[in-house]
Amino acid sequence: MTPTSRSLRLHALVLAVASALPAFAALAETAPADADATAAGGSSDATMLDAITVVSTGTTRQVQRITREDIGIAAPGTSALKVLDKLPGVQFQSADAWGSYEWSTSISLHGFDQSRLGFTLDGVPLGTMNYGVSDGLQVTRAIISENVGSVELSQGAGALGTASSSNLGGAVRYYSDDPDATPGIRFSQTFGSDSTRRTYLRGDIGDINGFSMYTSLVHGEVDKWKGYGNNEYNQANVKALYQWGDGNRVSLFLDSSKRKEYDIMDLSLTSQKALGWNWDYLMPDWNSAVQIANALNGNGSYPASLNALPADYGKADATYYSGAGLRDDNLAALSGAFNLGGNATLNLAGYYHDNNGEGQWTTPYLASSATVPLSMRTTDYRLNRHGVTASLNFTVAGNEIEIGGWYQNAKTVQERNYFLLDGPFTDLFYFNKAGTRFARGFSQHYETDTRMFYAQDTLRLLDDRLTVNFGAKKLQVDTTSQSLVPTTSYAVGEIKADSDLLPQVGVNYKLDEHQEIYASYNKNMAGFGFTPFQESQAAFDAIKSSLEPETAQTYELGYRVRGDAIEASLALYHTTFNDRLLVTSPCTAIQTCAATLNNVGSVRSQGADLAVMWRPIAQLRWLNSLSYDDSTYQDDYLSGGVVATSGKRVVGIPEWMFSSSLAYENAGWHAALDGKYTGRRYISYLNDSSVPSYWRFDLSAGYDFGEVGMFQNLGLSANVTNLFDKRYFATVGTNGYVVSDPNGYNQTLMAGAPRQFFVTFSGKF
């Protein structure tokens, strides 16, 4: 499609939606027939139906919120990140039913992938939540899903004070549930497909003179939906809260998480077609793994199962004997909000996080001995970080002023180690604790200091109909790399990303009681992370003085309407993403070699999001969202010649998405049907390879029996994920992207999980 035709499509979409806005405004003035009766009767129906908010009244940027009730509709254990997938502009992908399998977890907003978004929990930075454990942790390891109170999504621009050095394209802010004011014990037990077993317990002590606390535990086990392996996780949360006076509060949140995951094999377009959707790792077939390793070294032939692949396909990498990931995390956060009087509030928080992790691949490229042509290749991770955030809010002559800052020190270790194997194995354990290491590819130690300062002012004018806010922040990220062993694959040195003042301006105007318009502009910068050090030393030394950090400038224009029967929002956005850094590797993912870093210039993203939630009656909610995104590279770049990326679509980003969610609740019954269309996504920078579009549906239903004996809210629910058993490519880019892949050989795709069933019994006493 040409840029002109894309622009015409966008204009047509905007005109079509604009023509419907008067109808939305008219509907907003019409309440459901029994809405008032429901509210007067104190029924809980409205609680669930208001769980999603697509209109955040009064904000000067695009914001949506999801609360505990809507998270609870999903299968227990579902990541709060996955629940966001029904909102406009959001693409979430994972190869498992819950969105918690980390190697495959991916989210994008408005053309920005996960590495360029910001994530926080109660203000504590979660980093980019990437698999490689560089600056944070996945939200599923930071908090048990049942303890998430709400989620706020800001597409395009998060709040100015968001503690993130990567939020170029938006922010996701999680908030933990506060302890209950009444004592009690909650529980849920889930069983389902692939031997799923999940137990959740939470005990609240209730409110004792302003002090309250809960302790929560979860244990889960599930077999992989294909191949061999049983995944297991154990997690504990504690939250203590003390509240006094007029808005003063101090809270302590503790989290401990241990996860063991057998991996699902990455596919390519060709391997899926030749070997099928259920192609996976070989475990426990040790003999075939040995045969592949011998064939790679010229000793014999590959197994017959690989004969369906083309002759020039890298058959040694079509599968391995095993792959796995292990993660142990501990997180502590102490925060307080203090009313200083005179409309002044001081917010302070300090946090600590440590991680030990290991990613495993059984490699045929390095032998353990003359008789065992395989070894265990691990990437070992250690992270120790601490930080503080602070903000002061006060009002002076009608100016609502906020000033604040964030500091974090993170020490990260990433190592590539090789351990001896003496024969077949099927268990999952830390090789760096129990194995015999015989080689080390690299041992990189990073220290990163992050400093951010910001200030903003909010004015409310014209009897609060007009809201104007403006502010700026300054971000500085210093990273130092050291190597403990000689290596040609990773560089050492220091690199600094230091921004000028980064402005953010927004305005909101209320047209009437139900309607408002808003506009915003923001500029953000991202730190370099560890990307520049993935090159050889010579390449790093050549570019470090001229390398520019990535920046993004985003313009938003939006309209909202909200009433008892309907709420709707339309958002238009235009983003210029400058100095985009692109990393390509000349070898397969299981091998270790220096990557190539290129500044590919600018990326332009522009598009529109439409969300409409209709409540024709109090018990029924129907949410629909439509997203159009035109994200294209604006420049060619040099890498052994000219790479003609100008005008090509950004990899991994669909042009069109549509989701529809129908939820019903009445007299103890509840049911929900969610459907999502995801358009075609390109998986090469030259757009000569792509995965097709697909539809996917989930179904949930249940009944709350209310009070039964000593139990309260005794419930039984069922979830069916991938209702119509669609076979599709979920995550793309798990092993990165390549410039060109016309034959579909790049193994960087994840198959989505087939249809699965889960039943949950829950209650409180």
Side-chain angles (χ1 to χ4, degrees), residues 72-78 98 146 187-193 196-200 670 700-705 713-720 757-763:
I73 293 175
T78 296
W98 304 274
E146 284 91 341
F187 68 90
S188 72
Q189 180 65 55
T190 302
F191 299 97
S193 299
T196 295
R197 301 168 301 283
R198 185 179 190 274
T199 304
Y200 167 78
H670 63 87
S700 65
Y703 183 72
D704 186 344
F705 295 93
N713 301 117
L714 199 64
L716 184 66
S717 61
N719 295 82
V720 185
F757 302 86
F758 307 99
V759 176
T760 301
F761 180 66
S762 61

Side-chain angles (χ1 to χ4, degrees), residues 349-518:
Y351 61 91
Y352 171 83
H353 169 224
D354 66 66
N355 168 272
N356 278 285
E358 186 168 288
Q360 301 178 354
W361 258 339
T362 302
T363 177
Y365 288 94
L366 196 61
S368 293
S369 66
T371 57
V372 182
L374 301 164
S375 63
M376 174 55 70
R377 193 222 76 170
T378 68
T379 307
D380 296 295
Y381 306 101
R382 294 190 298 277
L383 172 63
N384 186 297
R385 65 187 179 115
H386 60 274
V388 294
T389 64
S391 67
L392 178 64
N393 302 70
F394 57 95
T395 302
V396 176
N399 294 271
E400 299 173 14
I401 298 173
E402 178 179 351
I403 57 175
W406 166 47
Y407 170 76
Q408 176 176 277
N409 173 267
K411 296 179 175 65
T412 308
V413 177
Q414 295 186 353
E415 295 180 344
R416 177 63 44 79
N417 294 313
Y418 296 87
F419 294 87
L420 294 174
L421 296 176
D422 56 10
F425 64 95
T426 56
D427 48 346
L428 181 53
F429 59 90
Y430 276 95
F431 271 79
N432 65 8
K433 296 178 181 179
T436 301
R437 189 184 71 214
F438 71 95
R440 172 168 284 175
F442 59 80
S443 180
Q444 296 295 109
H445 288 221
Y446 303 96
E447 183 166 1
T448 303
D449 285 304
T450 303
R451 300 172 180 85
M452 185 187 76
F453 305 97
Y454 71 95
Q456 65 179 359
D457 185 8
T458 300
L459 291 171
R460 305 187 191 279
L461 308 169
L462 303 178
D463 296 326
D464 289 342
R465 294 184 64 181
L466 176 65
T467 300
V468 179
N469 59 32
F470 49 91
K473 70 177 179 181
K474 181 174 177 58
L475 177 66
Q476 180 179 317
V477 185
D478 299 339
T479 303
T480 302
S481 171
Q482 294 180 317
S483 180
L484 299 192
V485 298
T487 176
T488 59
S489 302
Y490 284 79
V492 300
E494 182 178 3
I495 196 164
K496 177 185 295 187
D498 192 357
S499 75
D500 298 324
L501 285 180
L502 302 169
Q504 183 168 310
V505 181
V507 60
N508 178 289
Y509 181 71
K510 295 180 180 179
L511 300 173
D512 55 32
E513 181 182 355
H514 301 287
Q515 303 178 83
E516 62 187 43
I517 56 176
Y518 66 93

Side-chain angles (χ1 to χ4, degrees), residues 49-50 54 117 120 157 235 401 548 563 575 618 625 657 710 713:
L49 295 176
D50 286 339
V54 299
L117 304 176
T120 64
Q235 193 168 4
I401 298 173
E548 295 291 334
T575 298
S625 68
M657 292 187 293
M710 63 180 293
N713 301 117

